[in-house]
Amino acid sequence: MIKRRFFLPLLASFFLITTPLKAEVTAEQRADAERLVLQTAQTVLLQIDERRDDIQADPLVLLEIVDDTLLPHVDSQRMTQLVLGRYARQATAQQREAFTHEFQQLLVRTYAGPLSELGEQSIEVLGSRVAAGNNEIFVETEVHGGDFGTVPVNYRMILDDGRWLVFDVVVDGISLINNY
């Protein structure tokens, strides 16, 4: 009995000391995530405006713009794991890689959808809120203009090694991850 009384507090102390505590997302980090979303979207819109004739001649140019600008800020592995769930462990590395590539293309097409009507468009960041984990955030935006009017496009993001990465896009209330 004495051994147990000594051992359990010792074990608990060990875990408290060795387990890193995740800090809450700071206001500055939230602003960084919002800024990243805004800058990335503005870059896409600017490139669309500059290459309007190319896009009208070949709609795949729009996908290339979004692919080149958006994918560097996407946590594709996390997206794949969330979509596949328990089946991710059963898939081979080659199957996961193929799925990740195809899912990235779906993300690019989904993101490009609201931008495909080439009108004067702008993006407005409405704000952000901390999501489920201490290192996750939900950035809310609206895309204005074009033939779709105002479309809410929101981003679930994770802070990974000091860098914000998108792992879900919610267009007009429809989550890419949850509805795949």
Side-chain angles (χ1 to χ4, degrees):
M1 190 72 150
I2 294 174
K3 288 182 183 178
R4 186 176 288 175
R5 284 187 199 173
F6 176 74
F7 181 71
L8 289 177
L10 181 63
L11 184 63
S13 299
F14 173 77
F15 281 113
L16 284 174
I17 292 169
T18 60
T19 304
L21 298 175
K22 289 189 176 180
E24 289 286 327
V25 174
T26 66
E28 182 179 337
Q29 290 170 321
R30 286 175 62 171
D32 289 344
E34 292 172 10
R35 197 169 19 260
L36 175 65
V37 167
L38 183 61
Q39 288 172 346
T40 302
Q42 287 176 334
T43 299
V44 169
L45 292 174
L46 179 64
Q47 288 182 18
I48 288 171
D49 191 46
E50 290 174 352
R51 299 188 63 194
R52 188 176 310 273
D53 293 338
D54 295 339
I55 294 168
Q56 288 177 338
D58 181 5
L60 292 178
V61 171
L62 176 62
L63 296 179
E64 291 172 13
I65 290 170
V66 174
D67 189 357
D68 292 344
T69 308
L70 182 67
L71 287 185
H73 306 291
V74 172
D75 188 344
S76 299
Q77 300 305 319
R78 182 177 177 87
M79 290 177 100
T80 298
Q81 289 175 339
L82 288 171
V83 170
L84 293 178
R86 64 185 170 138
Y87 300 107
R89 288 181 293 232
Q90 297 172 2
T92 66
Q94 184 179 5
Q95 289 171 326
R96 282 190 306 273
E97 185 177 317
F99 182 86
T100 299
H101 173 74
E102 292 303 319
F103 199 77
Q104 286 173 334
Q105 296 311 302
L106 175 64
L107 172 65
V108 167
R109 289 189 301 274
T110 300
Y111 186 83
L115 303 175
S116 63
E117 298 301 320
L118 300 175
E120 290 295 318
Q121 296 186 357
S122 64
I123 183 169
E124 177 184 3
V125 174
L126 303 176
S128 61
R129 57 186 160 85
V130 176
N134 288 337
N135 62 339
E136 294 179 13
I137 196 169
F138 192 77
V139 177
E140 299 170 333
T141 73
E142 286 182 342
V143 177
H144 303 280
D147 290 345
F148 290 118
T150 298
V151 179
V153 180
N154 303 320
Y155 305 86
R156 288 177 61 198
M157 303 175 77
I158 187 163
L159 187 58
D160 185 30
D161 288 332
R163 187 171 162 233
W164 285 108
L165 296 171
V166 173
F167 67 92
D168 192 11
V169 178
V170 181
V171 178
D172 204 14
I174 300 171
S175 163
L176 187 63
I177 295 291
N178 294 338
N179 289 290
Y180 181 77

